[in-house]
Amino acid sequence: MSKELEWHLLAVHPNELDFNEENLAEIKVKGRHLCIARFKDRLFACAAKCPHAAAPLAQGYVNVQGDIVCPVHRYKFNLETGRNTTGEGYFLKTYPVEEREDGWYVGVEKGGWFGF
């Protein structure tokens, strides 16, 4: 059963987002905090906090494999799937991002819990 998504405009252009030097930004969508990552001309969205120790992922970085790396314990998560690539068994909540004619959008579950 697929979940129904609500799409929210992130930005008309990625340069409107307040990315740090690591190409990460934290934003608020529907009262929840998300981390937006820019990697190889694509945008990715995930939970703002690491599922292990709730560290803010926008203070981490994206490695050359395209994994977001937690700033505290260096756990790594695939930006597309949320899969923990360092083997600890944690899962990072990810959200679909689409580029449309009028801007970049993030999809969140309708009425769903955002979680870590």
Side-chain angles (χ1 to χ4, degrees):
M1 182 173 139
S2 66
K3 297 176 183 169
E4 192 174 346
L5 298 177
E6 292 180 343
W7 291 91
H8 300 274
L9 180 66
L10 292 173
V12 173
H13 189 277
N15 290 342
E16 295 175 2
L17 297 169
D18 190 22
F19 287 108
N20 62 21
E21 63 279 352
E22 299 293 339
N23 282 312
L24 297 171
E26 188 170 318
I27 64 163
K28 200 171 186 180
V29 175
K30 288 190 68 172
R32 302 292 181 166
H33 293 269
L34 301 179
C35 181
I36 305 298
R38 181 168 41 192
F39 180 69
K40 293 189 176 181
D41 297 325
R42 290 183 60 196
L43 295 183
F44 298 88
C46 63
K49 294 184 178 183
C50 178
H52 170 248
L57 290 172
Q59 292 178 12
Y61 64 94
V62 177
N63 66 17
V64 296
Q65 290 84 20
D67 298 328
I68 190 164
V69 181
C70 175
V72 176
H73 297 109
R74 303 291 187 246
Y75 286 12
K76 298 175 181 99
F77 302 90
N78 180 282
L79 282 169
E80 290 189 54
T81 66
R83 188 177 70 82
N84 177 251
T85 61
T86 44
E88 291 84 12
Y90 293 96
F91 181 81
L92 179 66
K93 177 72 177 155
T94 59
Y95 301 89
V97 175
E98 288 184 357
E99 181 182 13
R100 298 181 181 174
E101 195 172 299
D102 61 338
W104 291 80
Y105 287 80
V106 63
V108 296
E109 293 89 4
K110 223 176 209 186
W113 179 72
F114 287 70
F116 287 122

